[in-house]
């Protein structure tokens, strides 16, 4: 089944404790992206990657890092999480032409 | 700046009626527009894409129109069912083509 897999589904952590949210896709897609979704603000792009070793900032990149060492994986790293990063996070991918994104099931992160 | 507006935050209709959702955009010249469905706490699911040279597109009970003069898309669900209750998002690529920008969505509730 074609899918984007995110882990973990839920995560509660403390301020300052580094964490990684994993994202993997099995569709051989070139393009991958991370979004966060907050009430009243909608979906906002954090980082994106056009292909292996090619990443760039989206609209809200502060406090996040990404890497794209393999085509299928695009982890999101929070080096020192803060409470304002409490949110619902989605990874998405699409093939050439960007026609229709496939989203993961989401990671609900709480930073206390 | 580029903006996408979905005029209604919420729409309540009775089962069997046609739901019509609106998406307006400014400062864009998109080649195509996309619609997604999102259930609470889940990732958006791609529904339909319509290109600028297509006035209308249909998929089962769904119909999308795209008026580039009015800068508006209408999304219709005919013979609506309670299972259609969800948030519907429209989306366009930004000018650089690097990010899919989403409207904040319209939450549709279909009552039986």
């Amino acid at each position: 089944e074609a899918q984007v897999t995110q882990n973990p589904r839920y995560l509660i952590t403390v301020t300052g404790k580094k964490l990684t949210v994993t994202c993997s896709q099995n569709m051989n897609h070139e393009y991958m992206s991370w979004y966060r979704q907050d009430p009243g603000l909608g979906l906002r792009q954090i980082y994106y990657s056009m292909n292996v070793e090619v990443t760039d900032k989206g609209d809200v990149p502060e406090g996040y890092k990404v890497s794209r060492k393999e085509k299928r994986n695009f982890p999101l790293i929070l080096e020192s999480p803060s409470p304002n990063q409490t949110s619902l996070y989605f990874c998405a991918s699409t093939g050439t032409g960007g026609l229709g994104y496939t989203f993961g099931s989401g990671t609900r992160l709480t930073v206390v | 700046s580029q903006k996408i507006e979905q005029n209604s935050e919420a729409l309540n209709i009775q089962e069997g009626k046609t739901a019509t959702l609106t998406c307006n955009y400014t400062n864009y010249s998109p080649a195509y527009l996309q619609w997604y469905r999102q259930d609470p706490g889940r990732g958006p699911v791609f529904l339909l894409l319509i290109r600028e040279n297509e006035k209308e597109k249909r998929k089962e009970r769904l119909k999308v129109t795209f008026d580039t003069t009015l800068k508006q898309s209408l999304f219709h669900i005919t013979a609506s069912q309670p299972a259609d209750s969800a948030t519907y998002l429209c989306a366009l690529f930004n000018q650089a083509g690097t990010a899919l920008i989403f409207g904040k969505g319209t939450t549709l509730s279909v009552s039986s």
Side-chain angles (χ1 to χ4, degrees):
Chain A
E1 182 191 350
Q3 60 185 358
V4 174
T5 303
Q6 286 180 236
N7 281 297
R9 187 83 171 86
Y10 299 93
L11 180 60
I12 301 174
T13 190
V14 296
T15 299
K17 186 176 181 183
K18 181 179 179 179
L19 66 92
T20 299
V21 183
T22 64
C23 174
S24 180
Q25 51 95 1
N26 62 0
M27 296 163 283
N28 202 36
H29 283 166
E30 291 81 17
Y31 181 96
M32 298 184 75
S33 184
W34 277 102
Y35 288 82
R36 61 178 287 174
Q37 188 172 36
D38 302 287
L41 297 176
L43 284 158
R44 294 179 293 166
Q45 189 188 51
I46 304 170
Y47 268 94
Y48 67 94
S49 169
M50 303 292 274
N51 214 324
V52 176
E53 303 291 2
V54 181
T55 63
D56 208 344
K57 297 175 182 178
D59 293 326
V60 289
E62 295 78 20
Y64 305 95
K65 284 175 55 177
V66 293
S67 69
R68 187 94 182 271
K69 294 184 170 51
E70 307 164 280
K71 199 170 188 179
R72 62 184 294 124
N73 295 324
F74 190 44
L76 179 70
I77 302 155
L78 285 72
E79 294 268 0
S80 182
S82 62
N84 65 10
Q85 292 178 297
T86 292
S87 186
L88 181 56
Y89 291 87
F90 292 104
C91 179
S93 73
T94 189
T96 305
L99 304 181
Y101 279 26
T102 301
F103 280 82
S105 296
T107 296
R108 187 170 292 280
L109 172 65
T110 302
V111 183
V112 297
Chain B
S1 62
Q2 300 161 337
K3 278 188 181 178
I4 301 175
E5 289 184 350
Q6 295 187 246
N7 291 356
S8 301
E9 283 192 17
L11 180 64
N12 300 307
I13 64 168
Q14 282 201 307
E15 183 174 8
K17 302 290 187 185
T18 296
T20 299
L21 286 62
T22 305
C23 175
N24 295 292
Y25 58 93
T26 56
N27 299 323
Y28 274 98
S29 295
Y32 49 84
L33 183 146
Q34 305 183 24
W35 283 90
Y36 289 76
R37 169 185 171 138
Q38 186 176 25
D39 292 290
R42 310 298 296 183
V45 175
F46 173 70
L47 295 175
L48 276 171
L49 176 150
I50 185 166
R51 300 176 194 277
E52 60 180 339
N53 60 352
E54 296 175 316
K55 296 297 182 192
E56 180 181 299
K57 196 154 191 181
R58 292 174 186 262
K59 179 182 176 183
E60 297 173 352
R61 293 184 295 110
L62 308 180
K63 184 180 86 172
V64 173
T65 63
F66 192 16
D67 189 326
T68 55
T69 302
L70 290 178
K71 294 187 182 295
Q72 181 180 82
S73 175
L74 298 179
F75 177 82
H76 307 272
I77 305 176
T78 59
S80 59
Q81 305 166 359
D84 295 325
S85 298
T87 297
Y88 292 87
L89 306 165
C90 69
L92 294 163
F93 271 104
N94 62 0
Q95 290 287 88
T98 56
L100 199 58
I101 309 298
F102 288 83
K104 292 181 181 175
T106 296
T107 298
L108 173 67
S109 296
V110 181
S111 55
S112 56

